[in-house]
Amino acid sequence: SGAADAAASRAESGSAALSRAEAERARWDPRLGDDTAPLVGEWKYPLDKPHGPVMCTSRRVRTGGHPGVDKQIMREGSVAERTPKDGDTCFVHYDMWQLNASGEEVWSTRRESEPHQIVVGKAIPASDGKRRHHPALYECVRAMVPGERALFRVPPELCYGEAGNFSFPAVPPNCWMLVDVELIGAKGGETMERADMLYEERIERVKSHRTKGNELFRGGDVAAAAREYEMSLSFLTDDMMMQLFGAYLDEAEGEKLPAHLNLCACYLKMERHHDAIDQAGRALGVDPTNAKAFYRRGKARRALGQDEAARADLLKALGFSDGASDPAIERELAALDGEEKRSNHALRGVWRGLFDPTGFEDAGVDADGAKQRLDDVDEAGKKPGKEAGGRGKRFFGRLLERLGFVSDVLTSDRGTHT
């Protein structure tokens, strides 16, 4: 009967949707040793948990070190550099979460944009609650190269053990950890830890890393330059900055500002626009009237399609520039105005041509080219056919097609989103 057939069809459709959802969940939680997963895949933070735990589609493999530790590569590093060994000082960013149903955050260096320094293999007293997880970090960086970012699953004995930790951080007994580690750089022969350095020794290292970063940037190695700026900033910790005053504070801020600005410039070139926005904001925390910081943040926001915020930043950059005039800022504003005009024109074209299938030309674009883009997208799924359904279906079909066309126009100049 027709009713039975319809019910069977709905059940089949629901089953197919469930299978697709299950496959997608499995893709974001690959099994250990599943060779069908890509070696370097995608990663993201869940929508309901913007601070993690992070999810990754990359292949899970054993590190070959401590039993139980496995790794997923989130971003490949520099093959020209070696893996750290015991005694090396490593500069890392990391987030650590409990690998259980709670997914509670244990540590994060990214929140403060303050890279951590560890000496690989250094013994940590059991009473040191703040650094009891360092053996886990040692195990991670021994399986990485500088520039690499990877996700690790680490057993309890490398973190807080059978007893866990009562507070700061609170960790339950026998808790595995999920650790997102970025190895910024590794230095051999560093005999003194940051905490033991005098102010002059820290500033010397800050200047050294920043100078090397400038050389690498001008030479075209932007990724390596970014790592040098990160290492430079790792010596300008908040706890040190709060203790400075007078000429010492002026000198430290004079180093901190260009390091953030230069790191922002690197991230713009690397199309890591969210990171560029973060670094520009930190530069503005040092100098709230810095035209270059507003300009670079405006460029990053424009790339992400945040047009109003981009315009506000660019206008502030123009206002704080010498003579309230700068050709680069004015060009960026003009480009933003041009995008807005094209977007508005495209939207008008949608409604003007909605009832007339020939109306694509009114939007100021080649109809065949726009249709080809739609066909390219549709190849991944079922292409719309000439089904019976009268004027209603043709109307809504044209509406959906035109909205897709406008999406192409609106995103054509946005760059790569991160």
Side-chain angles (χ1 to χ4, degrees), residues 210 214 217-218 229 257-266 268 276-277 279-284 287-301 310 313-322 326 328-329 332:
R210 183 175 58 78
N214 291 348
F217 186 87
R218 294 184 182 114
Y229 297 136
L257 179 62
H260 282 304
L261 288 171
N262 293 349
L263 191 52
C264 177
C266 290
L268 280 173
I277 290 170
Q279 290 301 317
R282 294 181 188 280
L284 290 168
D287 178 8
T289 64
N290 191 275
K292 194 175 288 187
F294 279 117
Y295 170 68
R296 290 179 180 171
R297 191 169 71 177
K299 288 188 68 174
R301 284 175 165 169
D313 276 341
L314 291 169
L315 288 172
K316 287 179 181 177
L318 196 61
F320 288 125
S321 61
D322 292 338
D326 184 285
I329 301 172
E332 199 72 21

Side-chain angles (χ1 to χ4, degrees), residues 9 46 76 120 132 136 161 188 194 210 234 240 277 279 294 316 322 330 337 373 385 393 397:
S9 177
E76 292 182 290
V120 182
R132 281 177 61 192
R194 177 180 60 188
R210 183 175 58 78
S234 74
M240 185 193 82
I277 290 170
Q279 290 301 317
F294 279 117
K316 287 179 181 177
D322 292 338
E330 290 163 0
D337 290 338
R373 288 196 296 276
K393 283 196 174 182

Side-chain angles (χ1 to χ4, degrees), residues 40-41 43 58 72-77 110 144-145 147-150 182-183 267 270 272 275:
V40 184
W43 59 273
S58 301
Q72 294 174 275
I73 301 174
M74 300 167 68
R75 185 173 66 236
E76 292 182 290
R110 291 189 176 91
M144 303 177 74
V145 293
E148 183 178 347
R149 183 172 178 178
E182 179 182 4
L183 179 56
Y267 288 151
M270 297 164 73
R272 291 170 56 179
D275 291 328

Side-chain angles (χ1 to χ4, degrees), residues 345-364 394-403 405-406:
H345 193 65
L347 286 169
R348 286 197 301 271
V350 169
W351 302 113
R352 184 165 54 242
L354 184 57
F355 298 95
D356 176 9
T358 65
F360 265 114
E361 285 77 6
D362 291 339
R394 289 197 296 272
F395 171 85
F396 286 109
R398 285 203 301 275
L399 174 61
L400 292 173
E401 183 177 85
R402 289 185 170 279
L403 289 176
F405 154 69
V406 171

Side-chain angles (χ1 to χ4, degrees), residues 11-28:
E12 183 179 347
S13 176
S15 176
L18 185 62
S19 297
R20 287 195 298 271
E22 289 173 345
E24 185 66 6
R25 280 195 291 272
R27 190 172 77 90
W28 285 100

Side-chain angles (χ1 to χ4, degrees), residues 229-279:
Y229 297 136
E230 287 266 29
M231 287 187 280
S232 175
L233 287 165
S234 74
F235 290 95
L236 296 171
T237 56
D238 288 342
D239 61 342
M240 185 193 82
M241 297 295 289
M242 287 188 294
Q243 298 176 52
L244 301 178
F245 59 91
Y248 296 105
L249 180 59
D250 291 342
E251 182 181 27
E253 288 185 340
E255 289 294 332
K256 194 176 180 71
L257 179 62
H260 282 304
L261 288 171
N262 293 349
L263 191 52
C264 177
C266 290
Y267 288 151
L268 280 173
K269 285 186 173 291
M270 297 164 73
E271 298 185 337
R272 291 170 56 179
H273 299 116
H274 289 292
D275 291 328
I277 290 170
D278 176 68
Q279 290 301 317

